Amino acid sequence: RKEVEQDPGPFNVPEGATVAFNCTYSNSASQSFFWYRQDCRKEPKLLMSVYSSGNEDGRFTAQLNRASQYISLLIRDSKLSDSATYLCVVKTSGGYQKVTFGTGTKLQVIP
Amino acid sequence: DTEVTQTPKHLVMGMTNKKSLKCEQHMGHRAMYWYKQKAKKPPELMFVYSYEKLSINESVPSRFSPECPNSSLLNLHLHALQPEDSALYLCASSQGTSGQETQYFGPGTRLLVL
């Protein structure tokens, strides 16, 4: 089982739709979680950190479920500019810090 | 300023060449990272420097040699690479390595080994 898994997609959704991605992680010692977006041939850019209580930033909502070891990202009212690959990132802190990227989920928002 | 810069943007090298990739940040971050990203794959962590000391080497072959001359600079020295090492090499930095620190990525160096 991969340490961090995502459905690769692609998710093809119409403008205005709501879309949700999940990301599962296998290491129960994981402590920090992030969502990044990566446009084609560009570097990953932070979309949002994921906090235990869940957090929202405009049209984006992130949730963490420690019991089931997954994080989610919800995008409401999708825009064409949301088309990208969404990477979940899991960090294990402590004596040995390990940062692991998920395989990414590709989103294509269609006019 | 949340910028991480990398040079060169593109690099083509032969298998016998020696080259270096450079990364710079002026955010006062004390952790810097090298990642390798192949097409349609996620970034894979190669090295982590914390307070200018190498803290993680993810079993990277010795033909890749990192160097951290000071807290703002990170180099990756390349020697005797193989064609399969062709990839996008991303540098990142963060405030530290524990907790919820965000990693900021540079634009990457696209490397082609012939």
Side-chain angles (χ1 to χ4, degrees):
Chain A
R1 185 185 170 188
K2 288 183 183 164
E3 286 187 62
V4 181
E5 285 196 81
Q6 294 180 250
D7 181 340
F11 283 56
N12 297 314
V13 303
E15 268 186 291
T18 294
V19 62
F21 309 134
N22 277 346
C23 167
T24 57
Y25 60 94
S26 59
N27 187 345
S28 58
S30 301
Q31 293 186 323
S32 305
F33 309 90
F34 308 85
W35 282 105
Y36 279 74
R37 70 170 277 168
Q38 186 171 26
D39 293 283
C40 189
R41 301 183 72 81
K42 299 281 190 183
E43 74 273 22
K45 289 192 192 297
L46 179 72
L47 182 64
M48 56 200 305
S49 301
V50 187
Y51 301 110
S52 297
S53 54
N55 45 304
E56 190 174 308
D57 183 3
R59 298 182 292 109
F60 300 86
T61 301
Q63 298 275 356
L64 167 63
N65 185 319
R66 284 193 187 273
S68 301
Q69 294 186 196
Y70 75 84
I71 65 172
S72 63
L73 177 68
L74 183 78
I75 306 176
R76 288 181 297 278
D77 189 23
S78 300
K79 312 285 184 200
L80 294 176
S81 57
D82 294 332
S83 298
T85 295
Y86 290 82
L87 298 157
C88 93
V89 177
V90 174
K91 189 195 290 192
T92 306
S93 300
Y96 177 77
Q97 300 96 1
K98 187 173 172 63
V99 177
T100 307
F101 278 74
T103 46
T105 297
K106 186 166 181 178
L107 172 66
Q108 186 71 46
V109 181
I110 305 160
Chain B
D1 180 11
T2 56
E3 192 179 56
V4 177
T5 58
Q6 288 188 245
T7 55
K9 285 190 175 172
H10 301 274
L11 179 62
V12 180
M13 60 187 289
M15 290 189 282
T16 57
N17 292 157
K18 283 185 183 181
K19 297 284 184 185
S20 296
L21 308 185
K22 296 185 185 302
C23 174
E24 191 166 1
Q25 56 86 14
H26 294 287
M27 295 179 275
H29 288 173
R30 303 315 300 264
M32 295 184 79
Y33 310 77
W34 280 116
Y35 288 86
K36 173 182 176 179
Q37 186 174 25
K38 302 280 274 184
K40 297 185 193 289
K41 298 284 186 186
E44 291 178 6
L45 185 65
M46 299 173 74
F47 302 104
V48 180
Y49 271 83
S50 180
Y51 290 84
E52 298 158 53
K53 287 188 172 25
L54 183 65
S55 62
I56 294 178
N57 175 341
E58 289 282 7
S59 304
V60 179
S62 59
R63 56 185 185 268
F64 295 91
S65 173
E67 179 200 15
C68 191
N70 61 55
S71 59
S72 300
L73 293 173
L74 185 66
N75 298 323
L76 186 63
H77 302 297
L78 314 172
H79 174 55
L81 294 196
Q82 304 295 310
E84 60 264 28
D85 296 322
S86 300
L88 178 68
Y89 287 85
L90 293 160
C91 172
S93 71
S94 64
Q95 194 73 29
T97 56
S98 60
Q100 201 80 18
E101 288 104 354
T102 299
Q103 289 189 24
Y104 294 91
F105 283 84
T109 293
R110 203 162 289 279
L111 174 68
L112 177 62
V113 182
L114 300 176

